[in-house]
Amino acid sequence: MPKNQSFRFAVAPMMDWTDRHCRAFHRVLSARALLYTEMVTANAVIFGDRDRLLGYSPQEHPIAVQLGGSDPEALAKAAAICADWGYDEINLNVGCPSDRVQGGNFGACLMRDPTLVAACVAAMKAAVAIPVTVKCRLGVDEQDPETALDALADAVLAAGADGLIVHARKAWLQGLSPKENRDIPPLDYDRVYRLKARLPGVPVSLNGGLTTLETAQAQLAHVDGVMLGRAAYQQPELLLRVDSLFFGEPDPHADAFAAVEAFEPYIAAHLATGGRLHDITRHMLGLFPGRPGARAYRRHLAMEGVKSEAGLDVLRTAVNEVRRAEERRSLVA
């Protein structure tokens, strides 16, 4: 992997969540976490509005784009376009269990066809000079995770894949919704550990069920990296300790207050181009969890931040709800 990338810690690709504003915010919280786009289909990249789909801010590096698809030629074209846009990694989605994704013959259903996935990886590798990785499940439906995961891993690695991210659950394509597939199938970290032990020279990252940095850090005794999804999005403040815990480097900001202040120029630039405050602050609602004033902070952003005329003053007022509440608590103590 390039020196500017690391499998040690990444924020997972999440539909409707990890857009460019979310990633810009997360980058303020951590200088080293590897950030991922939402999944974008190969045909959307080829034929769609690329600025909307692929646009990002330079400070977001290192950043990976996750592609969905099963047509090697289309994926190769899309990967080349993404590489030209300056992305640091191309990731192929072989883990999403939604009906829409299955209907397009990509995502988790591809666990059943390692040969096709390998052809997709080989085509992308031939088209780009940056790393190509695969994010997958342990298997789907009645597949045996022992054989299904090995078959997928061996096929894509033979095709040139540079690393694997494994969501440590099976996906049930029949009978469970995408939401249920994130929680109901049991986690099996040991299966991922066995994969890594069998492939000592291959970067393997673990995803699924990780809710704290300490729990995630403990996994590094068994795998090369960890990927957090909902926990990182819903409690973004935890990202403030990633650089010190995972990379031995100074954390960029002392606390969430300082991080919000550092993020203000980005927000101001977005507003100056006609963007709305809510485009960004919807990704910031999880700040200050469990702290005095957090509910007032969320309420103010939810009520005032959605208004078309909302500006930075709305965010500052919301943050001050937490400041004042903490000051009141300190006086009582």
Side-chain angles (χ1 to χ4, degrees):
M1 304 293 288
K3 292 181 179 179
N4 71 331
Q5 286 197 17
S6 172
F7 258 36
R8 287 185 67 80
F9 188 94
V11 178
M14 292 173 280
M15 293 299 294
D16 299 322
W17 285 1
T18 51
D19 65 14
R20 63 188 302 173
H21 302 309
C22 173
R23 298 191 305 266
F25 176 49
H26 287 175
R27 179 57 69 221
V28 169
L29 302 174
S30 168
R32 292 297 306 273
L34 177 59
L35 304 179
Y36 281 77
T37 68
E38 303 170 85
M39 183 189 69
V40 57
T41 66
N43 283 339
V45 171
I46 296 168
F47 302 110
D49 181 346
R50 292 175 189 167
D51 185 63
R52 180 179 64 83
L53 295 168
L54 300 179
Y56 64 90
S57 304
Q59 63 264 36
E60 291 176 45
H61 288 289
I63 179 174
V65 59
Q66 187 182 66
L67 295 178
S70 59
D71 178 346
E73 183 178 355
L75 282 165
K77 290 180 181 177
I81 292 168
C82 293
D84 288 343
W85 273 70
Y87 280 92
D88 299 301
E89 174 193 319
I90 308 293
N91 178 260
L92 180 62
N93 184 321
V94 189
C96 181
S98 77
D99 291 340
R100 183 177 67 85
V101 166
Q102 290 182 59
N105 192 35
F106 58 97
C109 65
L110 289 175
M111 293 291 301
R112 297 192 184 111
D113 196 345
T115 301
L116 176 57
V117 180
C120 293
V121 169
M124 291 189 288
K125 285 292 293 181
V128 302
I130 59 176
V132 174
T133 62
V134 173
K135 188 173 189 292
C136 66
R137 291 278 186 140
L138 300 181
V140 296
D141 296 337
E142 299 301 333
Q143 283 185 322
D144 178 357
E146 292 299 326
T147 56
L149 182 58
D150 278 352
L152 189 283
D154 290 348
V156 300
L157 292 171
D162 296 284
L164 300 167
I165 303 106
V166 185
H167 186 150
R169 288 186 173 95
K170 290 179 70 175
W172 288 92
L173 304 181
Q174 303 297 324
L176 292 181
S177 69
K179 181 178 184 298
E180 290 170 330
N181 264 302
R182 293 194 293 266
D183 297 303
I184 292 178
L187 288 162
D188 188 355
Y189 291 166
D190 287 342
R191 178 64 189 94
V192 185
Y193 302 162
R194 292 194 294 276
L195 177 72
K196 174 58 192 175
R198 190 174 70 83
L199 303 170
V202 176
V204 174
S205 183
L206 185 146
N207 172 232
L210 300 172
T211 58
T212 70
L213 294 186
E214 289 72 22
T215 302
Q217 190 179 40
Q219 304 305 319
L220 297 181
H222 307 282
V223 293
D224 301 290
V226 291
M227 175 180 278
L228 269 68
R230 284 169 291 164
Y233 185 86
Q234 295 169 345
Q235 301 179 58
E237 206 163 338
L238 66 79
L239 295 176
L240 282 169
R241 297 189 296 129
V242 163
D243 293 4
S244 57
L245 282 178
F246 288 83
F247 301 98
E249 298 180 3
D251 293 317
H253 301 289
D255 55 29
F257 296 115
V260 171
E261 186 175 343
F263 194 40
E264 284 192 3
Y266 178 92
I267 300 173
H270 176 65
L271 296 173
T273 61
R276 298 181 58 149
L277 182 71
H278 180 67
D279 297 339
I280 298 174
T281 55
R282 73 184 186 95
H283 303 300
M284 303 173 67
L285 294 173
L287 278 178
F288 312 113
R291 292 164 71 166
R295 183 176 298 177
Y297 161 83
R298 293 192 299 271
R299 183 171 60 246
H300 189 76
L301 284 183
M303 294 178 62
E304 302 298 325
V306 297
K307 296 179 178 178
S308 59
E309 70 276 13
L312 271 172
D313 58 308
V314 171
L315 175 60
R316 291 168 180 160
T317 299
V319 172
N320 282 335
E321 294 281 2
V322 183
R323 289 187 189 275
R324 287 194 296 267
E326 292 199 336
E327 288 171 359
R328 288 193 297 268
R329 185 174 67 172
S330 64
L331 289 174
V332 172

